[in-house]
Amino acid sequence: LEYGEQMAIDGRDPSFSYSDWNPIKAEMLAMRAMYYFHLVRAYRNVPYVDKSISTDAEAKRSHLPQTKGVNIIDSLIVQLESTVEKAAENYGTTIDNKGRFTKRSIKALLADLYLWEGCMLRSSNAKGDSVADFTNKSNRCFEKAIEYTNAVLNDIKIEYDADNLSNVNGGFEKKKTHLDFLDYLTTQEAVYMQDLVYDEVFAKKNSKYESILEWQYDGVNNKNTTLGTYVGSASGQGNISPSDLVAGTNLYISCSEYEPERGFGKTDMRLLETMEYIPNNTTGIYNLHKNVARSVMFEDREDMTEGGEFRYRESSKQDANMPVYRVSDMLLIKAEAIARRYPNVTLTQNRDTIKGDQA
């Protein structure tokens, strides 16, 4: 960040202009923001360094005190706000567009940062931060979270609509009114139906419309070694290592009902997408397998308690991406921001009348 700025300034390097530097700067600031975001979420107050340290002597002298987490989040937001519009929109390949920070994924990160800052401001006095006017400040953060999630979702919708209109049916352009998967659900037999959406998002990786940012693993140049802990067989047909990561009881205890108050319901496909659910399991242990299973098939799509068939990634490949932000994450961030910004809105009110929500 320091030397890149120096090379671009005043035409010092004629082959490296600000138009070259600005997208790189945006990506670097986003990477640093993501690192500190993880630290603040884990520890709240941490030492914050925004200048490079070149020598051991500098490192020894830089024993900095902790900075309040809410202040770090605010600094990260200010930095990203100043550069997000200069970020790259297209690196030329799907892997780079999904695996590196673009304008879209930086906006997704900003939405997440604003949601966290709003929540941290709400609890600031209880944590001893003594932030003045924290209620109004937190409300503005929630409104910005809504704004940025809308920006990301609208951007994806524009891309989807453009692709949708280009579909030619019998020589005429015909715009679909809903996603293909809805047709798939209504036309397939109820027995032994493959979960194509799961396959698209988690098995094939870098889903065009669902994925916003994923850490990339190809199993050769970089490996997702965590998977070796959970996959107990070298074969794609293998089982998950028992009890490494087990589903909580609340996730499946109500799955025999159609409208459970908590957990997954009888027709909720997320039950089998999330865990290795086996009917009449006497052990009471259901291993979590999302992102480890490379395909999921429902025995009966109208009753998830019938179980399913699963194929798992080979433990030796270690090539599963780590999803960071997807469309579903944007919807969750937006929903929580609305709920926290407008806690007294009743379910009978029209959601379109809620300020800041244009969905």
Side-chain angles (χ1 to χ4, degrees), residues 8 68 97 107 110 184 193 205 215 221 249 278 292-293 306 340 357:
K68 293 184 183 301
N97 288 341
K107 288 180 178 179
L110 274 166
Y184 176 74
M193 184 184 77
K205 306 186 292 188
W215 303 145
N221 298 304
T249 307
I278 301 171
V292 176
E306 294 294 326
R340 291 183 180 275
D357 178 21

Side-chain angles (χ1 to χ4, degrees), residues 47-89:
Y48 177 64
V49 180
D50 62 357
K51 294 182 179 179
S52 62
I53 296 176
S54 303
T55 66
D56 290 342
E58 279 185 90
K60 291 179 180 179
R61 290 195 303 269
S62 65
H63 287 282
L64 300 176
Q66 293 179 342
T67 299
K68 293 184 183 301
V70 68
N71 293 341
I72 294 176
I73 296 292
D74 189 65
S75 296
L76 301 179
I77 288 173
V78 170
Q79 292 167 19
L80 294 183
E81 287 273 19
S82 70
T83 193
V84 60
E85 294 302 328
K86 299 175 183 178
E89 294 187 18

Side-chain angles (χ1 to χ4, degrees), residues 4 8 11 16 35 43 51 63 74 82 84 127 139 194 223 225 257 280 284 290 309 311 314 316 318 325 359:
F16 189 67
Y35 293 144
Y43 303 107
K51 294 182 179 179
H63 287 282
D74 189 65
S82 70
V84 60
K127 298 292 184 181
N139 284 341
Q194 189 168 355
K223 298 182 179 182
T225 55
E257 303 173 7
N280 303 315
K290 185 170 239 180
E309 291 186 3
R311 291 177 179 267
E314 296 181 19
S316 58
Q318 302 177 352
Y325 291 120

Side-chain angles (χ1 to χ4, degrees), residues 9-52:
I9 196 170
D10 298 330
R12 185 172 299 179
D13 182 349
S15 66
F16 189 67
S17 66
Y18 267 107
S19 61
D20 299 312
W21 166 237
N22 284 331
I24 297 173
K25 179 181 179 180
E27 190 176 9
M28 295 301 103
L29 287 173
M31 288 179 65
R32 186 169 71 187
M34 181 64 82
Y35 293 144
Y36 272 106
F37 192 20
H38 280 292
L39 288 172
V40 170
R41 284 186 291 184
Y43 303 107
R44 193 175 180 90
N45 303 331
V46 296
Y48 177 64
V49 180
D50 62 357
K51 294 182 179 179
S52 62

Side-chain angles (χ1 to χ4, degrees), residues 1-238:
L1 283 169
E2 290 175 12
Y3 292 112
E5 193 79 35
Q6 291 177 23
M7 295 306 294
I9 196 170
D10 298 330
R12 185 172 299 179
D13 182 349
S15 66
F16 189 67
S17 66
Y18 267 107
S19 61
D20 299 312
W21 166 237
N22 284 331
I24 297 173
K25 179 181 179 180
E27 190 176 9
M28 295 301 103
L29 287 173
M31 288 179 65
R32 186 169 71 187
M34 181 64 82
Y35 293 144
Y36 272 106
F37 192 20
H38 280 292
L39 288 172
V40 170
R41 284 186 291 184
Y43 303 107
R44 193 175 180 90
N45 303 331
V46 296
Y48 177 64
V49 180
D50 62 357
K51 294 182 179 179
S52 62
I53 296 176
S54 303
T55 66
D56 290 342
E58 279 185 90
K60 291 179 180 179
R61 290 195 303 269
S62 65
H63 287 282
L64 300 176
Q66 293 179 342
T67 299
K68 293 184 183 301
V70 68
N71 293 341
I72 294 176
I73 296 292
D74 189 65
S75 296
L76 301 179
I77 288 173
V78 170
Q79 292 167 19
L80 294 183
E81 287 273 19
S82 70
T83 193
V84 60
E85 294 302 328
K86 299 175 183 178
E89 294 187 18
N90 188 344
Y91 291 109
T93 69
T94 299
I95 290 177
D96 283 341
N97 288 341
K98 303 295 184 180
R100 296 174 61 180
F101 275 104
T102 61
K103 185 182 293 186
R104 180 184 295 175
S105 53
I106 292 176
K107 288 180 178 179
L109 176 57
L110 274 166
D112 206 0
L113 285 166
Y114 269 117
L115 178 62
W116 270 80
E117 184 180 20
C119 294
M120 293 176 75
L121 285 167
R122 286 280 177 92
S123 62
S124 58
N125 285 350
K127 298 292 184 181
D129 292 341
S130 301
V131 177
D133 197 24
F134 62 89
T135 299
N136 287 331
K137 289 179 180 177
S138 65
N139 284 341
R140 287 194 290 271
C141 287
F142 296 138
E143 290 168 2
K144 292 293 290 185
I146 296 168
E147 176 185 323
Y148 274 111
T149 51
N150 279 336
V152 173
L153 294 170
N154 290 339
D155 186 42
I156 294 172
K157 187 176 186 302
I158 290 171
E159 182 179 352
Y160 174 78
D161 286 343
D163 291 345
N164 195 3
L165 283 172
S166 67
N167 288 325
V168 178
N169 186 352
F172 298 94
E173 288 186 347
K174 183 178 180 181
K175 185 175 181 179
K176 290 175 284 188
T177 57
H178 52 250
L179 296 175
D180 293 332
F181 190 64
L182 297 179
D183 286 328
Y184 176 74
L185 279 175
T186 57
T187 58
Q188 294 298 306
E189 295 291 335
V191 179
Y192 288 111
M193 184 184 77
Q194 189 168 355
D195 188 343
L196 294 183
V197 168
Y198 178 94
D199 294 356
E200 176 71 22
V201 175
F202 294 104
K204 295 180 182 178
K205 306 186 292 188
N206 298 315
S207 173
K208 183 173 184 179
Y209 302 116
E210 169 70 9
S211 173
I212 298 170
L213 180 65
E214 299 183 15
W215 303 145
Q216 305 288 317
Y217 297 93
D218 61 13
V220 178
N221 298 304
N222 54 347
K223 298 182 179 182
N224 188 345
T225 55
T226 304
L227 288 183
T229 304
Y230 302 119
V231 181
S233 170
S235 167
Q237 302 282 348

